[in-house]
Amino acid sequence: MAPVFDKAVIVVAILIGIMAMVDTLALSIRTSGAITKRLAIALALFNLIIVFSRLSNLIQAPIVGNMADKTAVLDPVLHDMLVNSLRWKIHFIILATTIGTGLGALLTPTFVRIFTRMIEIFEEVKTLPRVALYMLNPRRWMHLPKYFSNPFTSRTMGYIKGFSRLPMDFVFFQVLVTGFYTVGVLSTIFAAALHPELRATAVTLSGIVNGIATFLLFILVDPPAAMITDQCIIGKRPITDVKVMNTYLVAARFAGTILAQFLLYAMASWVILVADYVNTIF
């Protein structure tokens, strides 16, 4: 039996960690947009950052799928051993998501400054490809230290005390959104390993898990976040409120990755239930 922490798991964990870090940092773009009062430009930069993040997903997804393929053996005892090994591999991958999110949280104050500068650059060069080329120029990297911001300053920590100014229900839903998104693909792969006879059906059903997250995100999380951002831009709220909101959304993402550890088996069971229903009906 393959060891739990083999080369494939390490590669996937690193890629997932990077993707989680970038996704967490991308939340800061809304804050930078509010600071500069250039929200539309900020959202365009958000799309650019997410594209780089998703490139790692294209690499890691087939590797994780291959892990499930290797559990498809005829010996039931060996199958159970391989599935158990896969379960620990997936838990380790989710842990990498938590670590990546934590690193993103620590770098958030720094990247608020960097994204603010990127918005200014966009206004100068006019196109996203030119922004990317500008930022990828090694000569610019020498100036990065001046953007560094200590995440543990009294000002940053003070944002935690501003929770009373926010509708906290949407922060709670952000925890759920992150939890479901984190296990969306992984739960289908685990389900495919648990029931190899339904493997092809199961791996196509990530939408029934991610769909829950998408509904919560676009109905219960994004609208309040957008409203708070707009109110900060037009002066109805102090600009610190958008920083407080970003702090709590980042914290909610971190909590959501921890929740994902407990959602894995439940969502895999849900995928198996739907896959079995599809198999029975059709």
Side-chain angles (χ1 to χ4, degrees):
M1 185 179 67
V4 173
F5 302 117
D6 55 21
K7 181 173 67 175
V9 178
I10 300 300
V11 170
V12 171
I14 292 172
L15 292 172
I16 285 283
I18 292 172
M19 189 171 71
M21 182 180 69
V22 172
D23 285 347
T24 302
L25 291 172
L27 293 174
S28 305
I29 295 180
R30 182 183 272 131
T31 304
S32 298
I35 292 172
T36 60
K37 301 187 186 302
R38 300 289 188 275
L39 186 58
I41 296 176
L43 294 178
L45 290 175
F46 174 85
N47 293 331
L48 175 65
I49 301 299
I50 290 300
V51 165
F52 284 109
S53 169
R54 293 298 178 261
L55 289 176
S56 65
N57 193 47
L58 292 176
I59 300 172
Q60 61 86 16
I63 300 175
V64 179
N66 182 253
M67 294 179 190
D69 288 341
K70 291 178 179 177
T71 64
V73 295
L74 296 177
D75 186 340
V77 176
L78 179 58
H79 174 261
D80 289 344
M81 292 174 63
L82 290 172
V83 168
N84 186 59
S85 175
L86 177 63
R87 178 168 65 89
W88 286 109
K89 289 177 181 180
I90 292 176
H91 280 302
F92 180 71
I93 291 169
I94 295 174
L95 175 62
T97 304
T98 303
I99 294 171
T101 302
L103 290 174
L106 294 176
L107 290 171
T108 288
T110 296
F111 272 79
V112 168
R113 293 184 175 186
I114 292 175
F115 291 141
T116 299
R117 176 57 183 151
M118 287 179 66
I119 291 171
E120 295 170 354
I121 294 169
F122 182 84
E123 289 193 301
E124 295 173 8
V125 301
K126 310 301 182 185
T127 67
L128 288 178
R130 289 176 180 173
V131 173
L133 290 174
Y134 184 96
M135 298 301 294
L136 291 175
N137 188 331
R139 290 183 299 175
R140 316 288 184 203
W141 300 350
M142 294 184 295
H143 302 292
L144 285 178
K146 72 178 183 181
Y147 294 101
F148 176 77
S149 180
N150 184 352
F152 301 109
T153 61
S154 57
R155 175 183 296 180
T156 303
M157 301 303 289
Y159 296 148
I160 298 174
K161 300 177 182 179
F163 67 90
S164 61
R165 301 199 296 269
L166 300 178
M168 293 305 293
D169 54 342
F170 88 101
V171 177
F172 168 75
F173 288 122
Q174 171 76 346
V175 176
L176 297 181
V177 165
T178 304
F180 286 121
Y181 270 139
T182 300
V183 298
V185 174
L186 296 174
S187 62
T188 62
I189 291 171
F190 188 45
L194 287 171
H195 285 264
E197 69 278 8
L198 299 172
R199 180 172 55 194
T201 305
V203 296
T204 64
L205 289 174
S206 62
I208 67 172
V209 181
N210 288 337
I212 300 172
T214 301
F215 174 82
L216 293 174
L217 177 65
F218 290 114
I219 301 299
L220 299 173
V221 176
D222 261 3
M227 180 187 67
I228 292 171
T229 304
D230 283 345
Q231 288 177 342
C232 290
I233 290 175
I234 65 177
K236 284 189 175 182
R237 285 174 174 265
I239 200 68
T240 53
D241 278 9
V242 77
K243 298 178 181 180
V244 171
M245 179 186 71
N246 190 60
T247 299
Y248 274 93
L249 288 179
V250 169
R253 281 187 61 89
F254 185 82
T257 63
I258 297 173
L259 175 64
Q261 298 282 6
F262 302 96
L263 288 176
L264 175 64
Y265 194 84
M267 291 301 99
S269 300
W270 166 235
V271 169
I272 291 170
L273 180 65
V274 175
D276 187 56
Y277 177 77
V278 171
N279 184 57
T280 301
I281 297 300
F282 300 101

